[in-house]
Each structure stands twice: as C-alpha cells, then as structure tokens.
C-alpha cells in the first residue's frame, strides 16, 4: 500500500523543512521524501500536490464531540468528518459529555465510536472531577490507562484550588497535562460578553479580563507547586499571554492554546446580538487580539485549538444572554487563519502549521505532528489560493453556529490523510466536497 | 421630515431630526388627552400587541392608553398569562403572534437585544419598551419632552443622572438622546453602580452627589433595585440613602433653585428620593407620566399610522 504525494511544497516544522519535493507513504507511515521519487517508486497511488502545501496532519487538541449524551448537537462521526474536512487528522475531545468522561466506560465508549465511525484519530480527554462537579476527583488513573491523553473539566474551572492541586499531584506519574479552563466564576457570574465599552453600550453585564487572568496566575502557581504540566486552554486576554510568557521565562511547565475566533474577532462583533459571537471565554478587545497573535508568533502560545463547540440552532438563535456558549471551528479554522493571519503577513505559514501539528503533538505526547520517516502518515494538503465563501450549510458538523458565515476567504485545506488513507478531498470547482 | 423606520428599538440609532420629530409629534398629540372624548380614528383597524416579559404597570398601561386613544385594538400579552410560562421561546411566541397579523408589537424583555431580535424576525413594526439594561427609547423621549416643556429648549442644558446607571436602560437611552441634542450629561453614583468605560458614551462621571447636582438644570434620579444589596454592590439601603438619597436639604445646599427633578418611577421614597422632594415643587414626575402617553401615541402613529397613510390608495 503506497501513496506518492507528488511535487508539493513540503513543510515540516519539526525538522525545519520547506522544500518542493515528493513524499512517499508506505503501509500507513511516512517512508521518505525527496525530489522526483516517482522515478524510483513503482505501484504507488499518486496524488498530485503541484502548487499545494503538504504538511503534517493537523491536530486540534480542543474539540467537543458531544457524544455520549448530546448527539443532537454532534456525534463522533459527524465531528470527525468535520475535522477531516477542515484539514485535521486528529482531535482531542473534551469530557463535558452526558455522562461526563469521568470513568473508563465512557472513554471506552468514545474510542469504540471512533473506531466504528471516526474519520480521523480521536484522543479523549478525561474529567478532572467526578461529573465535572468540582467536588471529588474522577478515577484519573483508570482514565489514563483507558487512553485519556489529558485531564480537564473544560467548560468550567476547578474552583477549589486544593482539589485542583491534588489532581495535579495525582496525575504526575501519568505524564498527561491538566488543562485549565481559566475562569473565576465569581468574577464572571452573570456576564455574557467581555466587560468594557461595548458591554456598557449593549447593556450586558461583562466578564472582566481579570476573571481569566487571576485563574491563569493561580494555575501556573499550582503547577509550580506540584511540578505538574499545566496547559491553559483558550487564552483570550493580553494579561493571560503575559502571565504565560513570564512563567515560561522562569522555567515553569506551562503551555497554552488559543482559538481562531479569539485571534481575529473582538467584542465589537457582539453588536447586533448574534448569539454566534457568544462563547466562553468571550471575544475581547483589539489589544487582547494583538497580544494573542504576538504570543502565537513568539511561541508563548504553543498551539491553535478550535474549541469546536457545536450546538443546535434553537440553542443559538434566541436571546443573547440565554444562548449557549460556543462556536464551531473545525471547518473554518484553517481558511480563516490562512486568510486573516498568514496572507497579511502577521504569522508565517510554517509557524501556523507548527502550532497546529507538532505543537499539540509534543505537548500531549501524541504520535504525528511531523513528516519524519517512520512517523504515522497523517498529512494535510493546503491550497493557499483556493477561494471560498464559508457557508454553514455545507458543514459536515451538525453545528452551524459560526461567527464566520459568509466570510470570503482565500487559502484552505484540500485533502486530509490519516495513516496513509485519504479521508477527505475537496471537490473540484472550489466548493467543499462531500 | 418623514419617519422611515420599521421599528423603534433605541435612541442610539436615531439621528437628532428623528428624535425631534418624535418629540414634536408627541407634543401635538398630547392635546387628545385633554378632550372630553379622548379618541381619534387615526389607527382604527390597526392591532397593537403589548408583549411584556417583565412586570410593568406604568409602561404597559401607557402604551395601552396611547393605542386606545388612537382607536387601535390593543391586546396585552403578559408573561403570567401566556405560554411563556410553559417554556415557549421568545421567537416561537413572536412567530405565533405574527401569525395573528398585528401591526405593531410592543415588547419588554429582561434580555438586552430582545427587541432587536424580534425586529429581525417579524415583518410588523416593533417598539422596544425596555430590553434588559440596554435601551428604553420611549422613556427617554418622554423625559426629553418633559424637559423641553419646562425649560423651553434642550440644547446646552446640563443634566445629572444619579444612581444605578449600570443596570439602567433609562440612563442609556437618555444619555444617547441628550448627547445627540447638545446637552451635557454627568452620571453619578458609587463606582459599583457606574458601568465600565461609560465615559465613552460622552458623559462625565462623579462619585459625589453634591458635586454632580451643582449647577445642573435637570437631576434625573434612578430607581435603586433592592437586589443590588444582595449582589454586593452596595452595603445597605441605609448607607445608600445617606450618601445618594436626594433630600430637600441637600437640594437646597447644592442645586440651582430652578432645577427640575425627574424619576422614571416607581419611586423608592426615602431611598433615592425623600418624600418631600418626590412630591415637592421641583418634581416633574407626574408630567413625565402624562407625557409618556403622548410619546407612545407618537411612536405608534409614526410606525403604524404614517405608514398606512403612505400606502393608502
């Protein structure tokens, strides 16, 4: 079983490669790369990547697949098909399902669904506390043994610092990070958007940046106390970027991610009360956006993760303050970031690829994230010139809740390969394929 | 000038000429209330639905009377008697009401943006009768009409808006209207009741009542909701009244002798206003209520009546 990806611009940030060459896949693994490999390789399926970028399969370490329990929002099948169509070869799914992924049985179920119907690799993230209740630890050792790659109560913080400290200590031997949803719920209570001039004008109680910053500081300090690897999910504030940068400078084991919407939108987008601009943490200010981009460029922020949060239409069409938090991201992340950050020169292409492949792979200890010989043949092919209009009606995800609907963008994935198998290809003609 | 909008959602989106048109129209319609037979046929055959998701006596009654004086059929649809209590969503309710062919829906809701949501969804006109802490445009219009009557003009006047500005849609709509008409606005209250970065709305901020009311033409006192205490925003009603209650002594010591005292009601006597101020000669609170009917007649007339006359054969 051979696949020859011919004549692409091969970018592999892990090895610093950026060369026009061929890439050979054999038996689900990267075999080798080099110029004009077809002269020496016989019997391979050939994929022409002329004019395209060939990079490690992208990894989204923060998605909500909603299964079990909220299958009306998303399933492992629909969520992973969305991932494939967005250029992602692997996703990590958060534990806030129903029941929560706080026992081995749930992890086993998710992995079974992924084997049966998953289009891409699925790595579950286990709950920190039972039922995400914040009161007692979940069965963390068994979750790790079952295949959870990290622990998080994402969607809510562990407000009890003592309990969180113990979770960090208990999980030390497993080598999995704890992932913090950094939000002081006393400070954020009742808020549904960023606190500032726009919330004052729109008449909403705001969520101050300090609701995030204080918890980022707390969790960094708890990480330093315990020696645990703390990963901060979805940074949204300039203050959080500064705190992570300072912690890294003094050698703390902290990593961080940022979501595409926080990199390109501000709280100005809330004007008009579209619930598709509502998420947790909320859209912040221009100053925060600039700090997040800077942090992504300089490596303070290790990866981009979408926080893909599908909801039913009825949960995202009514009153703004009553609407569900979250937006889908798997099928918009790459086009939006290529168009809004890479094209204007704010972020170079290989850095973006690094933050979406080797970045998350390294911090979670996942296979993949590189095109080195012997690595799993997880590959994404990008067409920097592909123009499209982001249209929620075409999404594979059940969730249509995006703030990017109608955006004209240039640059998009065109094929996703997992373990040497092409799991998705864009249809010809520019519109996304089925 | 002619009214062109389908809806009246807020003062922020109006230009000064539109605000003046509404006030002028209200001033001319007010005379209807002084007639022996308080009814004109202007909106005969029109249906107005009052859709109130928050308790309100004054505003709902005011809209109802305004509609009835203009001969419209007015239906009150309030949360306690409707299917909203059965879990029907705002959008479901609105679509069902629209199927009954109203000409205007007047909505009050605790969520900011609810009126805009309805306006986007419904083909009929929508009047915002208060959405969360966002806007309450007819209240600002009746306040402006009341001030103009008392002072003869609006431009150049100085106003202090005092109290719980953070949670007040009345304050926001008035700030927009007053700024657009050339008035100067100071908002005053303890910092916990002043919304963040409110200066960006073009107002000054004061944290001392005596300073805020000095030399102003108008003092607008806001109602203090008792739940602000349990939310930790003020220590006690007693302390609030001690520092932020407008008493006759404080008024005489700091304010001008021709100052006008306003309040959107209902008044907490003894908290934000002492009884002798609320019921005294400076107070225009009952004029505000009277002008409320006139302003709502103007809004309903411009949205439903003016449109009908344009469409008439």
């Amino acid at each position: 079983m051979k696949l020859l990806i011919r004549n692409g611009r091969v970018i592999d940030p892990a090895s610093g490669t950026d060369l026009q060459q061929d890439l050979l896949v054999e038996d689900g693994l990267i075999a080798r790369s080099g110029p004009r490999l077809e002269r020496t390789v016989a019997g391979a399926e050939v994929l022409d990547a002329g004019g395209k970028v060939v990079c490690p399969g992208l990894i989204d370490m923060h998605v909500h697949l909603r299964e079990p329990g909220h299958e009306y929002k998303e399933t492992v099948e629909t969520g992973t098909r969305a991932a494939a169509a967005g250029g992602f070869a692997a996703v990590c799914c958060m534990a806030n399902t129903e029941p929560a992924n706080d026992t081995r049985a749930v992890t086993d179920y998710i992995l079974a669904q992924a084997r049966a119907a998953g289009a891409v690799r699925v790595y579950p993230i286990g709950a920190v506390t039972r039922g995400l209740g914040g009161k007692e630890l979940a069965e963390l050792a068994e979750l790790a043994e079952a295949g959870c790659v990290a622990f998080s109560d994402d969607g809510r913080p562990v407000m009890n610092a003592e309990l969180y400290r113990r979770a960090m200590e208990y999980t030390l031997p497993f080598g999995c990070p704890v992932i913090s949803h950094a939000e002081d719920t006393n400070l954020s209570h009742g808020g549904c958007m960023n606190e500032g001039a726009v919330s004052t004008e729109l008449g909403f109680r705001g969520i101050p940046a300090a609701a995030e910053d204080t918890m980022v500081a707390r969790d960094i300090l708890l990480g330093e106390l315990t020696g645990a690897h703390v990963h901060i999910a979805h940074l949204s504030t300039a203050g959080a970027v500064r705190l992570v940068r300072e912690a890294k400078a003094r050698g703390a084991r902290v990593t961080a991610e940022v979501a595409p919407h926080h990199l390109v939108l501000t709280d100005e987008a809330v004007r008009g009360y579209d619930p598709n601009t509502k998420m947790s943490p909320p859209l912040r200010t221009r100053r925060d956006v600039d700090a997040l981009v800077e942090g992504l460029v300089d490596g303070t922020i290790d990866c981009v993760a979408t926080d893909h949060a599908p909801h039913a239409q009825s949960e995202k069409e009514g009153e703004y303050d009553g609407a569900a938090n979250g937006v889908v991201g798997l099928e918009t992340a790459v086009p939006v970031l290529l168009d809004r950050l890479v094209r204007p020169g704010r972020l170079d292409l290989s850095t973006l690829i690094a933050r979406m492949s080797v970045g998350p792979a390294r911090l979670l200890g996942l296979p993949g994230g590189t095109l080195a010989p012997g690595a799993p043949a997880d590959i994404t092919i990008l067409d920097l010139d592909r123009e499209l209009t982001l249209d929620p009606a075409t999404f594979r995800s059940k969730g249509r809740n995006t703030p990017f609907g109608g955006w004209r963008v240039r640059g998009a994935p065109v094929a996703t390969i997992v373990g040497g198998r092409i799991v998705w290809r864009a249809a010809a003609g520019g519109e996304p394929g089925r | 000038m002619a009214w062109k909008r389908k809806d009246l959602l807020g003062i922020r989106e109006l230009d000064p000429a539109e605000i003046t048109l509404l006030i002028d129209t209200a001033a001319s319609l007010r005379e209807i209330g002084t007639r022996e037979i308080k009814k004109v046929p202007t909106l005969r055959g029109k249906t107005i639905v009052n859709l109130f998701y928050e308790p309100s006596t004054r505003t709902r009654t005011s809209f109802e009377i305004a509609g009835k004086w203009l001969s419209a059929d007015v239906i009150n649809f309030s949360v306690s008697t409707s299917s909203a209590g059965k879990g029907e969503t705002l959008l479901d309710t609105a679509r069902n009401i629209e199927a009954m062919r109203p000409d205007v829906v007047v909505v009050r809701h605790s969520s900011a943006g609810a009126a805009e949501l309805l306006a986007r969804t419904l083909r009929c006109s929508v009047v915002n009768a208060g959405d969360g802490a966002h806007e309450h445009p007819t209240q600002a219009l009746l306040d402006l009409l009341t001030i103009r009557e008392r002072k003869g003009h609006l431009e150049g006047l100085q106003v202090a808006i005092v109290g719980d500005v953070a949670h007040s849609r009345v304050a926001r709509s008035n700030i927009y209207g007053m700024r657009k008409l050339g008035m100067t606005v100071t908002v005053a209250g303890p910092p916990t009741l002043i919304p963040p970065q409110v200066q960006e709305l073009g107002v000054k901020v004061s944290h001392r009542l005596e300073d805020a009311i000095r030399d102003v033409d108008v003092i607008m006192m806001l109602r203090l909701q008792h739940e602000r205490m349990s939310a930790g925003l003020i220590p006690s009603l007693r302390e609030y009244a001690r520092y932020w209650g407008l008493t006759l002594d404080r008024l005489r010591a700091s304010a001008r002798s021709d100052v006008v005292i306003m309040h959107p009601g209902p008044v907490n006597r003894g908290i934000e206003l002492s009884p002798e101020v609320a019921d005294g000669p400076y107070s225009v609170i009952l004029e505000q209520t009277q002008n409320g009917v006139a302003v709502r007649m103007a809004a309903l007339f411009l949205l439903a009546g003016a449109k009908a006359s344009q469409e008439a054969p």
Side-chain angles (χ1 to χ4, degrees), chain A residues 195-205 271-275 313-314 317-322, chain B residues 12 90-91 95 109-113 116-117 120 131 133-134 167 172 176 195-198 200-201:
Chain A
E195 177 178 305
V198 181
S199 66
T200 287
E201 187 187 309
L202 295 183
F204 283 129
R205 181 197 283 260
R271 290 180 199 281
Y273 300 98
D274 178 358
Q313 185 184 335
S314 61
E317 67 175 3
E319 301 91 302
Y320 193 90
D321 51 2
Chain B
R12 183 175 183 269
L90 173 62
L91 280 181
R95 287 176 186 135
H109 198 284
S110 59
S111 292
E116 197 169 320
L117 174 67
R120 264 204 313 271
D131 62 327
H134 179 224
H167 301 89
R172 282 174 180 74
Y176 296 132
Q197 298 176 48
V198 71
E200 298 199 13
L201 302 184

Side-chain angles (χ1 to χ4, degrees), chain B residues 169-186:
Chain B
R169 52 194 173 213
V170 174
R172 282 174 180 74
S173 287
N174 266 299
I175 289 168
Y176 296 132
M178 290 169 174
R179 294 296 298 134
K180 283 171 194 280
L181 297 181
M183 302 160 76
T184 306
V185 181
T186 300

